[in-house]
Amino acid sequence: MDFLKTLSIAASGLKAQSGRMRVIAENIANADSTASSPGGEPYRRRIASFRASFDRELQAQVVALGRVQNDRTDFVTRHEPGHPAADAKGDVKYPNVNPLIETVDMREAQRSYEANLNVIGATRRMITRTLDLLRA
Amino acid sequence: MPVTDLPLFAMLKTRMYWLEERQKLLAENVANADTPSYRGRDLKQLDFNAALRSASSTSAVTLAATAPGHLSGAAGSEATRFATERGSGFEVTPRGNAVTLEEEMMKLAQNQMDHQAATALYARGLGMIKAALGRK
C-alpha cells in the first residue's frame, strides 16, 4: 500500500531533522568550550548536511543525514591573559559558534519537522477514510 | 462481475490511486525540503478522456493463457502508471533547493480534500447499490 510508503518517507524526514537538531544542540552546548591546554584549539562548529537517496524498497527519494562537516571559519580570539587556555600573547581562542545562527537553524529544523508531522497526520486521515469505506 | 468493475467505481479507484501516488510524491518533497539541489516533483493531472476510455472499456488487452500455469503479464504495480512532472519551482534557495513548504502544505490539504471527495462518492455509490438491492 502506497500510504505506508508515504509514512516511511515522512519518517525519514523526521529522522533527518532530528539528527540535524542533535548537531545544533552540540554546537550550542559547546559555544564556550575552549581548549584545556595553553594555545590549543577550541571546539569547532559542525554543520549537518542532507542528501536525497533513492530507496529501492519504497521506490522513492528519501532523505538521509549526510556527513557532518566542520565549519572552517576562523575562531574568535579574545584577550584574556589569566585564562588557562591563553597563549603566550594572552589571547584565548573561542569556538566559531554564533548562537544567533544556531537559533535560526534550530527554528528551521523545527519547521521542517512539523511539516513532516503534518504529512503523517494528513496521510493517516486518508487511510482512516479509506478504511471507513468498509463500514459504509 | 465484481463491484469494482463498474465504470463509476473503476474511475474512483483510479482517482484514489492517483491521490495516493501524489501523496507519496508530496511526502518526498517535504522530506527533502532542506536537501541541497533537490527539485520538487508533482503528478500530472489525470486526463478525463483517457480515464473515461479505460473505465468504459471492460476488456483490456491481455496475454493469451493456454495453460493454467501462465501468468497474465499485466504490469506489476497499478499505481506507477501516472506521469510525474517537475515542480513549478516558485523560488530556489542559494543551495539549489526548489521546495516551498507552504506550497507543499497547500497541495497536501488539496490532496486530502480530493481524497475525501473520492471516498465519499465511493461510499455513496455503494449505498446506491445497496438501495437497489433493497437492503437500506
Side-chain angles (χ1 to χ4, degrees):
Chain A
M1 192 162 153
D2 254 21
F3 277 141
L4 299 180
K5 290 182 187 170
T6 307
L7 293 179
S8 302
I9 297 166
S12 84
L14 291 180
K15 220 185 293 172
Q17 295 297 342
S18 64
R20 177 194 196 180
M21 206 69 166
R22 199 190 63 228
V23 176
I24 296 171
E26 219 173 291
N27 286 340
I28 294 180
N30 282 300
D32 294 314
S33 302
T34 54
S36 47
S37 57
E41 297 250 299
Y43 173 81
R44 196 173 267 281
R45 176 175 179 248
R46 309 213 302 153
I47 307 171
S49 63
F50 295 114
R51 83 194 139 72
S53 61
F54 187 77
D55 188 313
R56 283 177 182 281
E57 193 194 342
L58 298 175
Q59 293 288 315
Q61 300 256 0
V62 296
V63 64
L65 205 60
R67 261 191 34 201
V68 180
Q69 281 157 324
N70 286 333
D71 183 344
R72 288 190 300 271
T73 51
D74 294 335
F75 295 120
V76 181
T77 40
R78 270 184 241 159
H79 188 69
E80 284 178 30
H83 198 284
D87 60 9
K89 283 186 288 176
D91 288 340
V92 183
K93 281 184 187 159
Y94 275 90
N96 50 352
V97 176
N98 184 343
L100 185 70
I101 292 176
E102 300 305 324
T103 312
V104 174
D105 268 1
M106 196 164 70
R107 297 299 303 201
E108 198 186 316
Q110 196 182 357
R111 209 172 75 109
S112 304
Y113 193 90
E114 276 165 14
N116 279 297
L117 277 183
N118 209 348
V119 172
I120 291 181
T123 311
R124 274 194 48 201
R125 279 191 289 278
M126 281 163 87
I127 294 175
T128 317
R129 242 171 246 135
T130 311
L131 289 177
D132 277 348
L133 282 178
L134 283 175
R135 269 185 254 151
Chain B
M1 181 167 150
V3 128
T4 45
D5 281 354
L6 294 174
L8 171 68
F9 291 110
M11 286 170 94
L12 282 173
K13 210 167 81 176
T14 311
R15 178 74 173 154
M16 278 154 78
Y17 270 134
W18 186 85
L19 291 166
E20 208 170 306
E21 188 72 9
R22 186 172 193 223
Q23 183 81 0
K24 193 174 129 194
L25 279 187
L26 293 180
E28 258 177 60
N29 291 348
V30 173
N32 284 295
D34 294 321
T35 309
S37 66
Y38 180 86
R39 293 296 172 100
R41 291 189 301 163
D42 199 352
L43 275 189
K44 277 214 174 75
Q45 285 293 332
L46 273 178
D47 183 12
F48 176 73
N49 290 326
L52 191 66
R53 227 177 298 126
S54 72
S56 50
S57 68
T58 44
S59 61
V61 179
T62 49
L63 292 177
T66 50
H70 283 176
L71 298 173
S72 66
S77 165
E78 241 188 302
T80 50
R81 59 205 160 137
F82 304 115
T84 55
E85 62 183 359
R86 277 289 181 82
S88 50
F90 178 66
E91 60 175 15
V92 182
T93 63
R95 279 186 297 180
N97 188 294
V99 178
T100 326
L101 274 185
E102 288 78 10
E103 209 182 330
E104 299 302 320
M105 290 298 114
M106 290 254 299
K107 285 184 189 170
L108 206 68
Q110 178 73 43
N111 213 35
Q112 218 187 325
M113 270 157 52
D114 289 350
H115 187 264
Q116 193 172 8
T119 48
L121 279 171
Y122 203 101
R124 199 43 75 85
L126 286 178
M128 264 160 60
I129 291 180
K130 272 186 196 158
L133 289 172
R135 263 188 266 151
K136 184 73 188 121

PDB file of all heavy atoms in Angstrom, chain B residues 1 3 15 19 22 30 35 39 42 46 49 62 65 69 72 89 97 112 124 126 128 130-131 134:
ATOM      1  N   MET B   1     -19.343 -10.421 -12.188  1.00  0.00           N
ATOM      2  CA  MET B   1     -18.666  -9.118 -12.310  1.00  0.00           C
ATOM      3  C   MET B   1     -18.599  -8.444 -10.936  1.00  0.00           C
ATOM      4  O   MET B   1     -19.624  -8.171 -10.324  1.00  0.00           O
ATOM      5  CB  MET B   1     -19.496  -8.269 -13.277  1.00  0.00           C
ATOM      6  CG  MET B   1     -18.913  -6.917 -13.523  1.00  0.00           C
ATOM      7  SD  MET B   1     -19.738  -6.185 -14.936  1.00  0.00           S
ATOM      8  CE  MET B   1     -19.642  -4.487 -14.539  1.00  0.00           C
ATOM      9  N   VAL B   3     -18.007  -5.610  -8.057  1.00  0.00           N
ATOM     10  CA  VAL B   3     -18.499  -4.232  -7.971  1.00  0.00           C
ATOM     11  C   VAL B   3     -17.459  -3.233  -8.475  1.00  0.00           C
ATOM     12  O   VAL B   3     -17.782  -2.207  -9.055  1.00  0.00           O
ATOM     13  CB  VAL B   3     -18.892  -3.961  -6.511  1.00  0.00           C
ATOM     14  CG1 VAL B   3     -18.249  -2.719  -5.965  1.00  0.00           C
ATOM     15  CG2 VAL B   3     -20.400  -3.822  -6.409  1.00  0.00           C
ATOM     16  N   ARG B  15      -8.820   7.372  -9.445  1.00  0.00           N
ATOM     17  CA  ARG B  15      -8.625   8.659  -8.768  1.00  0.00           C
ATOM     18  C   ARG B  15      -7.903   8.462  -7.425  1.00  0.00           C
ATOM     19  O   ARG B  15      -6.986   9.193  -7.082  1.00  0.00           O
ATOM     20  CB  ARG B  15     -10.002   9.299  -8.548  1.00  0.00           C
ATOM     21  CG  ARG B  15      -9.986  10.613  -7.822  1.00  0.00           C
ATOM     22  CD  ARG B  15      -9.482  11.716  -8.688  1.00  0.00           C
ATOM     23  NE  ARG B  15      -9.600  13.014  -8.083  1.00  0.00           N
ATOM     24  CZ  ARG B  15      -8.814  14.042  -8.384  1.00  0.00           C
ATOM     25  NH1 ARG B  15      -7.853  13.888  -9.270  1.00  0.00           N
ATOM     26  NH2 ARG B  15      -8.983  15.201  -7.815  1.00  0.00           N
ATOM     27  N   LEU B  19      -4.350   9.857  -6.181  1.00  0.00           N
ATOM     28  CA  LEU B  19      -4.174  10.675  -4.976  1.00  0.00           C
ATOM     29  C   LEU B  19      -3.143  10.056  -4.037  1.00  0.00           C
ATOM     30  O   LEU B  19      -2.341  10.753  -3.414  1.00  0.00           O
ATOM     31  CB  LEU B  19      -5.511  10.837  -4.256  1.00  0.00           C
ATOM     32  CG  LEU B  19      -6.533  11.698  -4.996  1.00  0.00           C
ATOM     33  CD1 LEU B  19      -7.911  11.516  -4.388  1.00  0.00           C
ATOM     34  CD2 LEU B  19      -6.143  13.156  -4.963  1.00  0.00           C
ATOM     35  N   ARG B  22       0.215  10.702  -5.459  1.00  0.00           N
ATOM     36  CA  ARG B  22       0.574  12.111  -5.298  1.00  0.00           C
ATOM     37  C   ARG B  22       0.991  12.385  -3.853  1.00  0.00           C
ATOM     38  O   ARG B  22       1.940  13.124  -3.605  1.00  0.00           O
ATOM     39  CB  ARG B  22      -0.623  12.997  -5.665  1.00  0.00           C
ATOM     40  CG  ARG B  22      -0.259  14.449  -5.653  1.00  0.00           C
ATOM     41  CD  ARG B  22      -1.357  15.311  -6.204  1.00  0.00           C
ATOM     42  NE  ARG B  22      -0.855  16.649  -6.447  1.00  0.00           N
ATOM     43  CZ  ARG B  22      -1.545  17.742  -6.126  1.00  0.00           C
ATOM     44  NH1 ARG B  22      -2.736  17.649  -5.611  1.00  0.00           N
ATOM     45  NH2 ARG B  22      -1.040  18.923  -6.367  1.00  0.00           N
ATOM     46  N   VAL B  30       8.435  17.145   0.910  1.00  0.00           N
ATOM     47  CA  VAL B  30       8.543  17.727   2.252  1.00  0.00           C
ATOM     48  C   VAL B  30       9.767  17.171   2.966  1.00  0.00           C
ATOM     49  O   VAL B  30      10.510  17.906   3.625  1.00  0.00           O
ATOM     50  CB  VAL B  30       7.249  17.468   3.057  1.00  0.00           C
ATOM     51  CG1 VAL B  30       7.426  17.921   4.499  1.00  0.00           C
ATOM     52  CG2 VAL B  30       6.091  18.204   2.425  1.00  0.00           C
ATOM     53  N   THR B  35      17.181  19.569   1.446  1.00  0.00           N
ATOM     54  CA  THR B  35      18.268  18.886   0.750  1.00  0.00           C
ATOM     55  C   THR B  35      18.816  19.788  -0.358  1.00  0.00           C
ATOM     56  O   THR B  35      18.037  20.274  -1.168  1.00  0.00           O
ATOM     57  CB  THR B  35      17.755  17.586   0.127  1.00  0.00           C
ATOM     58  OG1 THR B  35      17.064  16.839   1.128  1.00  0.00           O
ATOM     59  CG2 THR B  35      18.887  16.760  -0.425  1.00  0.00           C
ATOM     60  N   ARG B  39      14.954  19.223  -6.508  1.00  0.00           N
ATOM     61  CA  ARG B  39      13.817  19.858  -7.169  1.00  0.00           C
ATOM     62  C   ARG B  39      12.574  19.051  -6.869  1.00  0.00           C
ATOM     63  O   ARG B  39      12.591  17.827  -7.020  1.00  0.00           O
ATOM     64  CB  ARG B  39      14.026  19.892  -8.699  1.00  0.00           C
ATOM     65  CG  ARG B  39      15.165  20.787  -9.125  1.00  0.00           C
ATOM     66  CD  ARG B  39      14.850  22.209  -8.773  1.00  0.00           C
ATOM     67  NE  ARG B  39      15.975  23.093  -8.985  1.00  0.00           N
ATOM     68  CZ  ARG B  39      16.115  23.875 -10.056  1.00  0.00           C
ATOM     69  NH1 ARG B  39      15.215  23.839 -10.992  1.00  0.00           N
ATOM     70  NH2 ARG B  39      17.139  24.673 -10.155  1.00  0.00           N
ATOM     71  N   ASP B  42       5.766  16.650  -8.926  1.00  0.00           N
ATOM     72  CA  ASP B  42       4.320  16.541  -8.720  1.00  0.00           C
ATOM     73  C   ASP B  42       3.770  15.626  -9.812  1.00  0.00           C
ATOM     74  O   ASP B  42       4.440  15.378 -10.809  1.00  0.00           O
ATOM     75  CB  ASP B  42       3.675  17.927  -8.795  1.00  0.00           C
ATOM     76  CG  ASP B  42       2.301  17.927  -8.138  1.00  0.00           C
ATOM     77  OD1 ASP B  42       1.820  16.834  -7.772  1.00  0.00           O
ATOM     78  OD2 ASP B  42       1.722  19.004  -7.997  1.00  0.00           O
ATOM     79  N   LEU B  46      -4.873  14.087 -13.908  1.00  0.00           N
ATOM     80  CA  LEU B  46      -5.481  12.970 -14.634  1.00  0.00           C
ATOM     81  C   LEU B  46      -6.197  13.498 -15.872  1.00  0.00           C
ATOM     82  O   LEU B  46      -6.815  14.557 -15.834  1.00  0.00           O
ATOM     83  CB  LEU B  46      -6.502  12.273 -13.748  1.00  0.00           C
ATOM     84  CG  LEU B  46      -6.004  11.176 -12.827  1.00  0.00           C
ATOM     85  CD1 LEU B  46      -7.171  10.663 -12.002  1.00  0.00           C
ATOM     86  CD2 LEU B  46      -5.421  10.038 -13.627  1.00  0.00           C
ATOM     87  N   ASN B  49     -10.558  12.243 -20.450  1.00  0.00           N
ATOM     88  CA  ASN B  49     -10.926  11.402 -21.589  1.00  0.00           C
ATOM     89  C   ASN B  49     -10.270  10.026 -21.521  1.00  0.00           C
ATOM     90  O   ASN B  49     -10.906   9.005 -21.777  1.00  0.00           O
ATOM     91  CB  ASN B  49     -10.553  12.109 -22.897  1.00  0.00           C
ATOM     92  CG  ASN B  49     -11.458  13.300 -23.141  1.00  0.00           C
ATOM     93  OD1 ASN B  49     -12.629  13.263 -22.789  1.00  0.00           O
ATOM     94  ND2 ASN B  49     -10.902  14.361 -23.699  1.00  0.00           N
ATOM     95  N   THR B  62      -4.933  -8.506 -22.975  1.00  0.00           N
ATOM     96  CA  THR B  62      -4.085  -9.318 -22.101  1.00  0.00           C
ATOM     97  C   THR B  62      -3.435 -10.426 -22.911  1.00  0.00           C
ATOM     98  O   THR B  62      -3.850 -10.709 -24.036  1.00  0.00           O
ATOM     99  CB  THR B  62      -4.903  -9.955 -20.966  1.00  0.00           C
ATOM    100  OG1 THR B  62      -6.057 -10.568 -21.546  1.00  0.00           O
ATOM    101  CG2 THR B  62      -5.360  -8.933 -19.943  1.00  0.00           C
ATOM    102  N   ALA B  65      -3.662 -17.029 -22.272  1.00  0.00           N
ATOM    103  CA  ALA B  65      -3.187 -18.059 -21.346  1.00  0.00           C
ATOM    104  C   ALA B  65      -3.686 -19.410 -21.840  1.00  0.00           C
ATOM    105  O   ALA B  65      -4.873 -19.705 -21.786  1.00  0.00           O
ATOM    106  CB  ALA B  65      -3.698 -17.778 -19.943  1.00  0.00           C
ATOM    107  N   GLY B  69      -0.861 -22.602 -15.795  1.00  0.00           N
ATOM    108  CA  GLY B  69       0.268 -22.004 -15.090  1.00  0.00           C
ATOM    109  C   GLY B  69       0.698 -20.654 -15.634  1.00  0.00           C
ATOM    110  O   GLY B  69       1.561 -20.003 -15.064  1.00  0.00           O
ATOM    111  N   SER B  72      -0.609 -13.618 -16.243  1.00  0.00           N
ATOM    112  CA  SER B  72      -1.378 -12.715 -17.110  1.00  0.00           C
ATOM    113  C   SER B  72      -0.482 -11.708 -17.828  1.00  0.00           C
ATOM    114  O   SER B  72      -0.835 -11.181 -18.866  1.00  0.00           O
ATOM    115  CB  SER B  72      -2.416 -11.976 -16.272  1.00  0.00           C
ATOM    116  OG  SER B  72      -1.761 -11.126 -15.362  1.00  0.00           O
ATOM    117  N   GLY B  89       8.715  25.274  -8.961  1.00  0.00           N
ATOM    118  CA  GLY B  89       9.905  25.997  -8.540  1.00  0.00           C
ATOM    119  C   GLY B  89       9.628  27.466  -8.315  1.00  0.00           C
ATOM    120  O   GLY B  89      10.152  28.341  -8.991  1.00  0.00           O
ATOM    121  N   ASN B  97      17.709  24.391  -3.675  1.00  0.00           N
ATOM    122  CA  ASN B  97      16.503  23.640  -3.331  1.00  0.00           C
ATOM    123  C   ASN B  97      15.280  24.427  -3.777  1.00  0.00           C
ATOM    124  O   ASN B  97      15.162  25.615  -3.499  1.00  0.00           O
ATOM    125  CB  ASN B  97      16.461  23.422  -1.816  1.00  0.00           C
ATOM    126  CG  ASN B  97      15.357  22.492  -1.421  1.00  0.00           C
ATOM    127  OD1 ASN B  97      14.198  22.818  -1.571  1.00  0.00           O
ATOM    128  ND2 ASN B  97      15.706  21.323  -0.943  1.00  0.00           N
ATOM    129  N   GLN B 112      -5.863  15.995   0.317  1.00  0.00           N
ATOM    130  CA  GLN B 112      -6.694  15.385   1.347  1.00  0.00           C
ATOM    131  C   GLN B 112      -8.178  15.602   1.045  1.00  0.00           C
ATOM    132  O   GLN B 112      -8.990  14.697   1.180  1.00  0.00           O
ATOM    133  CB  GLN B 112      -6.338  16.028   2.677  1.00  0.00           C
ATOM    134  CG  GLN B 112      -6.330  15.068   3.817  1.00  0.00           C
ATOM    135  CD  GLN B 112      -6.138  15.813   5.110  1.00  0.00           C
ATOM    136  OE1 GLN B 112      -5.417  16.797   5.149  1.00  0.00           O
ATOM    137  NE2 GLN B 112      -6.775  15.357   6.140  1.00  0.00           N
ATOM    138  N   ARG B 124     -21.123   6.620  -1.321  1.00  0.00           N
ATOM    139  CA  ARG B 124     -22.460   6.932  -1.826  1.00  0.00           C
ATOM    140  C   ARG B 124     -22.871   5.932  -2.923  1.00  0.00           C
ATOM    141  O   ARG B 124     -24.017   5.479  -2.979  1.00  0.00           O
ATOM    142  CB  ARG B 124     -22.449   8.359  -2.354  1.00  0.00           C
ATOM    143  CG  ARG B 124     -23.793   9.047  -2.507  1.00  0.00           C
ATOM    144  CD  ARG B 124     -24.703   8.804  -1.343  1.00  0.00           C
ATOM    145  NE  ARG B 124     -24.371   9.542  -0.148  1.00  0.00           N
ATOM    146  CZ  ARG B 124     -24.775  10.789   0.090  1.00  0.00           C
ATOM    147  NH1 ARG B 124     -25.480  11.442  -0.773  1.00  0.00           N
ATOM    148  NH2 ARG B 124     -24.456  11.363   1.221  1.00  0.00           N
ATOM    149  N   LEU B 126     -21.815   2.840  -3.245  1.00  0.00           N
ATOM    150  CA  LEU B 126     -22.135   1.562  -2.586  1.00  0.00           C
ATOM    151  C   LEU B 126     -23.536   1.623  -1.985  1.00  0.00           C
ATOM    152  O   LEU B 126     -24.304   0.656  -2.062  1.00  0.00           O
ATOM    153  CB  LEU B 126     -21.117   1.260  -1.490  1.00  0.00           C
ATOM    154  CG  LEU B 126     -19.722   0.812  -1.934  1.00  0.00           C
ATOM    155  CD1 LEU B 126     -18.841   0.616  -0.713  1.00  0.00           C
ATOM    156  CD2 LEU B 126     -19.799  -0.478  -2.723  1.00  0.00           C
ATOM    157  N   MET B 128     -25.993   3.363  -3.068  1.00  0.00           N
ATOM    158  CA  MET B 128     -26.985   3.274  -4.142  1.00  0.00           C
ATOM    159  C   MET B 128     -27.217   1.823  -4.532  1.00  0.00           C
ATOM    160  O   MET B 128     -28.344   1.390  -4.765  1.00  0.00           O
ATOM    161  CB  MET B 128     -26.511   4.074  -5.354  1.00  0.00           C
ATOM    162  CG  MET B 128     -27.080   5.474  -5.391  1.00  0.00           C
ATOM    163  SD  MET B 128     -26.115   6.557  -6.435  1.00  0.00           S
ATOM    164  CE  MET B 128     -26.246   5.744  -8.001  1.00  0.00           C
ATOM    165  N   LYS B 130     -26.758  -0.763  -2.651  1.00  0.00           N
ATOM    166  CA  LYS B 130     -27.490  -1.398  -1.549  1.00  0.00           C
ATOM    167  C   LYS B 130     -28.972  -1.056  -1.639  1.00  0.00           C
ATOM    168  O   LYS B 130     -29.843  -1.921  -1.422  1.00  0.00           O
ATOM    169  CB  LYS B 130     -26.935  -0.925  -0.214  1.00  0.00           C
ATOM    170  CG  LYS B 130     -25.786  -1.762   0.270  1.00  0.00           C
ATOM    171  CD  LYS B 130     -25.388  -1.326   1.662  1.00  0.00           C
ATOM    172  CE  LYS B 130     -24.023  -1.845   2.023  1.00  0.00           C
ATOM    173  NZ  LYS B 130     -23.421  -1.038   3.080  1.00  0.00           N
ATOM    174  N   ALA B 131     -29.279   0.201  -1.977  1.00  0.00           N
ATOM    175  CA  ALA B 131     -30.681   0.623  -2.100  1.00  0.00           C
ATOM    176  C   ALA B 131     -31.361  -0.162  -3.216  1.00  0.00           C
ATOM    177  O   ALA B 131     -32.511  -0.592  -3.086  1.00  0.00           O
ATOM    178  CB  ALA B 131     -30.747   2.117  -2.375  1.00  0.00           C
ATOM    179  N   GLY B 134     -32.412  -3.420  -2.250  1.00  0.00           N
ATOM    180  CA  GLY B 134     -33.494  -3.428  -1.269  1.00  0.00           C
ATOM    181  C   GLY B 134     -33.035  -3.660   0.142  1.00  0.00           C
ATOM    182  O   GLY B 134     -33.771  -4.151   0.979  1.00  0.00           O
TER     183      GLY B 134
END
